[in-house]
Amino acid sequence: MNAYEVLNVKPDATDDEILASYKQLARKYHPDKNNGDDSKMIELNEAYALIDTPVKRKEYDSKNAFVADFNML
């Protein structure tokens, strides 16, 4: 799973952009709203948990080659 793709943000997104995207997607897919999608909500929560703090995000980025590839562009 690519946390950035799940949250629909670029790897260089700010923490505020990541949070805003998570909240928007959570409203859309929450199981208690608009016939939400349980599996999508679980995926969103897992992705956000990987990068929800600067420390976790730095660790996640260092373990994933796609970020290094992105930075080379």
Side-chain angles (χ1 to χ4, degrees):
M1 166 181 36
N2 179 327
Y4 296 106
E5 287 178 6
V6 171
L7 294 169
N8 198 30
V9 295
K10 293 181 179 183
D12 64 346
T14 66
D15 292 339
D16 288 339
E17 290 171 330
I18 292 170
L19 177 60
S21 184
Y22 168 75
K23 286 181 176 181
Q24 177 186 19
L25 292 168
R27 281 190 299 273
K28 180 178 180 179
Y29 292 110
H30 195 281
D32 293 339
K33 303 283 184 180
N34 306 318
N35 297 318
D37 184 340
D38 288 339
S39 61
K40 184 66 175 176
M41 195 66 218
I42 290 168
E43 184 180 34
L44 285 171
N45 286 332
E46 290 174 352
Y48 186 66
L50 291 172
I51 59 173
D52 66 347
T53 67
V55 172
K56 287 182 185 178
R57 186 174 179 186
K58 186 174 182 177
E59 182 179 323
Y60 177 81
D61 289 348
S62 70
K63 291 181 181 179
N64 293 283
F66 71 87
V67 174
D69 293 342
F70 175 83
N71 289 333
M72 296 177 82
L73 297 176

